Amino acid sequence: MDQFTINLLFVGASFALYIGIAIWARAGSTSEFYAAGQGVHPVTNGMATAADWMSAASFISMAGLIAFTGYDNSSFLMGWTGGYVLLALLLAPYLRKFGKFTVSEFIGDRFYSPTARMVAVICLIVASTTYVIGQMTGVGVAFGRFLEVSNTTGLLIGACVVFAYAVFGGMKGVTYTQVAQYCVLITAYTIPAVFISLQLTGNPIPGLGLFGDHAASGEPLLAKLDQVVRDLGFAEYTAHHTDTLNMVLFTLSLMIGTAGLPHVIMRFFTVPKVSDARWSAGWTLVFIALLYITAPAVGAMARLNITEMMWPNGEAVSVETIENDADYNWMKTWEKTGLLAWEDKNGDGLIQYYNDKNPEMAATAEANGWTGNELTKFNRDILVLANPEIANLPGWVIGLVAAGGLAAALSTAAGLLLAISSAVSHDLIKGQLNPNISEKGELLSARIAMAVAIAVATYLGLNPPGFAAQTVALAFGLAAASIFPALMMGIFSTRVNNKGAVAGMLAGLLVTLLYIFLHKGWFFIPGTNSFTDAEPLLGTIKSTSFGAIGAAINFAVAFFVSSRTEELPEDVRELVESVRVPRGAGAAQSGH
């Protein structure tokens, strides 16, 4: 059986399972559509949240960015896991006790203002749409490879699949679909990592193998990797090379962005009581840790495998070997997607892979007759999906990874689209424009909003502002700058009033959006940017790191405006105290 058929079997079986679950658990009411009837067990919710969380950025893209940068991109791991600790301690139980379906609804009620609710809806849609662009980028990469079509065709196919099962089930269907998706994606991520760790280090636990010895040479794996990449003019893998301030701000932006992401927070409205919300967050942290502990090993081992394949026995690989050796079939397959390319620039029949931007390599290149790096394109987002092929693992492992990559991208896309649709239908249409809309009409408007969001994200996903994880980092920055401060002040401060909250959210969102657009292009249109992250506007602060500064601006503006306007009404002050104090926490409100 050929690899294409194996891929179809694994992907087809997993999709049949997801769509079957979505139909079985189809939402029949707004309560089931938005919050799964608030009857989900904490362990089940933790697994579903982990799948919702471990998106294309985590499964497909993160290890690739770590692999080609090394230590400096460990910020992704620290920021995303640290953010869940913040979420579990500072937000999840209090928001569940408040008892609303959406983040916007909480902000509207807490700040006693329909304007605040509308601004929150805008912030949510902007952050979530940016996030979906990253997911659709990953969907295109995964479908393109495993259906052996172009990246664009894969993206369009993936959009249709997301529409099919996300629109059907709402939160109830998505929850149980995501439980299945978590099981698929974590299995798909860890099994190849175990195989590769055994190959390279003899240790079946990838996280331990990373710090073990290389099986062939006997030297520490990381020391060998450092030497291999240094010899080719690349930065040492385990060393810190980038600006420390930017790295700290980036980590902080990811952390507080995690705690402000609407599609994740919505999951904590689905459990029966407040203590379950805290347990859900704890279980989620356990489930995501299984992948995040493995990711650094996947990145390092894949980088070593790729480099050694391009330089077998210390010599550059020949074009003939790439074309005829079965071990290099993965290169020809990925070439079809347009995400991998090579060119014999000097016509010597070899493909030299090295850092031609390093001036120290210029003399070596000239002495050997090299005319530039001949591995002309290696999209970071393909690394995890190509990893089992690079390591020459069995066909069923490759098929499993295909199913896992698609599960990761589609599960998060569904959660984000649900957050967008609920903001439009529940907060905008029912909350403001048409309070008397029927339940059937509200569900219809939610599904239409979801379809429009899919169309927009698909269009923008054709020309994303970066790799999947980089695009997702921009979404985290927007959530950090706009939503997180409003939630924190709403729960823990009795000083911030409605005017302060609105001014703070608008200031944080607009300043951060402006900074991002200046670096990534207006509305992410290529070629319209004035700066780049290589040469940022403010010192060394990249667009992906600006969310932390946007959050600080949000807090400062909110407190300043609140101090110059009227104090909080007494009933709202009492509401804040009742949400924060554990009294009655066992039986949370259920109205909306």
Side-chain angles (χ1 to χ4, degrees):
M1 187 181 299
D2 64 13
Q3 188 60 54
F4 181 73
T5 305
I6 295 173
N7 293 342
L8 286 181
L9 288 174
F10 273 88
V11 173
S14 62
F15 275 25
L17 175 64
Y18 305 152
I19 294 173
I21 291 173
I23 293 171
W24 165 74
R26 185 178 182 185
S29 66
T30 52
S31 176
E32 289 183 339
F33 191 90
Y34 296 132
Q38 296 183 327
V40 180
H41 191 277
V43 176
T44 302
N45 195 51
M47 196 175 291
T49 307
D52 205 348
W53 172 245
M54 291 191 296
S55 62
S58 294
F59 188 102
I60 295 175
S61 190
M62 180 177 63
L65 291 175
I66 293 173
F68 285 90
T69 303
Y71 169 82
D72 291 329
N73 270 347
S74 61
S75 301
F76 284 102
L77 298 169
M78 295 183 290
W80 283 339
T81 50
Y84 251 100
V85 177
L86 284 180
L87 185 61
L89 294 177
L90 300 180
L91 294 180
Y94 303 112
L95 290 174
R96 178 62 191 92
K97 185 178 180 184
F98 195 84
K100 300 301 181 181
F101 280 165
T102 67
V103 170
S104 308
E105 195 171 16
F106 167 78
I107 290 175
D109 285 7
R110 159 57 182 89
F111 294 110
Y112 52 98
S113 167
T115 303
R117 185 172 181 174
M118 287 304 96
V119 171
V121 169
I122 293 169
C123 295
L124 182 153
I125 291 174
V126 170
S128 296
T129 301
T130 306
Y131 203 147
V132 176
I133 296 170
Q135 301 317 300
M136 299 312 287
T137 302
V139 167
V141 172
F143 270 107
R145 162 59 186 93
F146 296 112
L147 295 180
E148 298 185 9
V149 295
S150 70
N151 185 51
T152 300
T153 303
L155 179 58
L156 296 175
I157 294 171
C160 295
V161 174
V162 172
F163 179 82
Y165 77 84
V167 172
F168 262 124
M171 181 61 85
K172 184 179 178 183
V174 166
T175 294
Y176 293 104
T177 301
Q178 286 173 337
V179 170
Q181 287 169 328
Y182 175 79
C183 296
V184 172
L185 74 86
I186 199 64
T187 304
Y189 201 86
T190 53
I191 285 180
V194 169
F195 271 105
I196 295 168
S197 182
L198 280 170
Q199 283 181 351
L200 292 178
T201 69
N203 193 319
I205 302 174
L208 298 179
L210 178 64
F211 298 100
D213 293 336
H214 188 253
S217 66
E219 61 183 309
L221 180 77
L222 288 174
K224 178 176 178 61
L225 178 56
D226 276 340
Q227 184 63 51
V228 166
V229 297
R230 195 165 54 238
D231 288 347
L232 296 176
F234 295 104
E236 195 170 89
Y237 192 84
T238 58
H240 176 43
H241 302 283
T242 57
D243 179 73
T244 301
L245 172 63
N246 182 75
M247 190 174 183
V248 170
L249 289 175
F250 181 60
T251 305
L252 181 59
S253 182
L254 292 180
M255 286 181 66
I256 62 178
T258 298
L261 279 173
H263 79 288
V264 173
I265 293 173
M266 280 179 66
R267 295 231 54 93
F268 298 106
F269 299 142
T270 66
V271 293
K273 53 185 188 288
V274 173
S275 60
D276 292 338
R278 199 183 294 274
W279 276 108
S280 288
W283 278 110
T284 300
L285 199 55
V286 170
F287 290 130
I288 66 175
L290 295 176
L291 186 146
Y292 277 39
I293 290 172
T294 306
V298 171
M301 293 175 185
R303 179 71 181 276
L304 183 59
N305 274 338
I306 290 166
T307 307
E308 291 187 330
M309 287 196 79
M310 297 307 296
W311 291 92
N313 303 314
E315 298 291 333
V317 64
S318 68
V319 176
E320 183 182 0
T321 299
I322 293 175
E323 291 176 348
N324 299 309
D325 191 332
D327 289 347
Y328 289 81
N329 283 344
W330 67 274
M331 293 185 68
K332 291 180 289 184
T333 306
W334 278 101
E335 186 185 24
K336 296 176 184 176
T337 67
L339 301 173
L340 179 70
W342 60 93
E343 178 188 356
D344 183 11
K345 296 177 180 178
N346 58 2
D348 64 355
L350 305 175
I351 300 297
Q352 286 91 20
Y353 166 59
Y354 69 102
N355 184 7
D356 55 6
K357 294 181 176 59
N358 184 346
E360 295 179 5
M361 288 295 293
T364 302
E366 185 177 356
N368 289 284
W370 302 344
T371 56
N373 175 32
E374 296 181 337
L375 185 62
T376 54
K377 188 172 187 179
F378 195 114
N379 188 295
R380 306 296 187 256
D381 288 344
I382 76 173
L383 183 129
V384 169
L385 299 179
N387 207 19
E389 298 173 87
I390 296 169
N392 201 24
L393 298 184
W396 67 267
V397 178
I398 298 170
L400 183 62
V401 170
L406 293 170
L410 296 176
S411 61
T412 303
L416 288 163
L417 292 166
L418 190 61
I420 294 170
S421 67
S422 61
V424 172
S425 63
H426 188 67
D427 294 308
L428 180 61
I429 296 176
K430 184 176 178 65
Q432 298 295 318
L433 303 179
N434 185 9
N436 298 319
I437 189 173
S438 66
E439 189 168 280
K440 184 177 180 180
E442 188 179 351
L443 280 174
L444 177 61
S445 63
R447 286 170 171 142
I448 292 173
M450 194 179 284
V452 172
I454 291 172
V456 172
T458 301
Y459 174 74
L460 294 173
L462 294 172
N463 289 291
F467 300 119
Q470 293 171 328
T471 306
V472 166
L474 296 175
F476 277 74
L478 292 168
S482 58
I483 299 171
F484 174 77
L487 294 175
M488 287 293 293
M489 292 183 290
I491 294 170
F492 294 102
S493 173
T494 54
R495 291 180 55 196
V496 179
N497 60 19
N498 55 355
K499 295 181 177 64
V502 170
M505 284 189 289
L506 287 174
L509 176 67
L510 293 175
V511 170
T512 305
L513 260 183
L514 176 63
Y515 199 80
I516 289 173
F517 285 161
L518 285 172
H519 291 77
K520 297 297 184 182
W522 292 93
F523 302 100
F524 301 130
I525 298 172
T528 60
N529 58 302
S530 303
F531 304 90
T532 67
D533 282 333
E535 297 178 349
L537 171 62
L538 295 179
T540 59
I541 301 171
K542 298 181 180 181
S543 58
T544 49
S545 308
F546 195 79
I549 294 177
I553 292 171
N554 188 330
F555 278 115
V557 169
F559 278 105
F560 176 79
V561 172
S562 297
S563 69
R564 295 294 188 271
T565 51
E566 67 275 5
E567 292 188 358
L568 224 61
E570 189 59 33
D571 60 326
V572 176
R573 188 183 301 272
E574 291 176 359
L575 174 66
V576 173
E577 294 293 342
S578 70
V579 168
R580 194 167 67 246
V581 177
R583 185 172 59 250
Q589 300 175 37
S590 60
H592 75 283

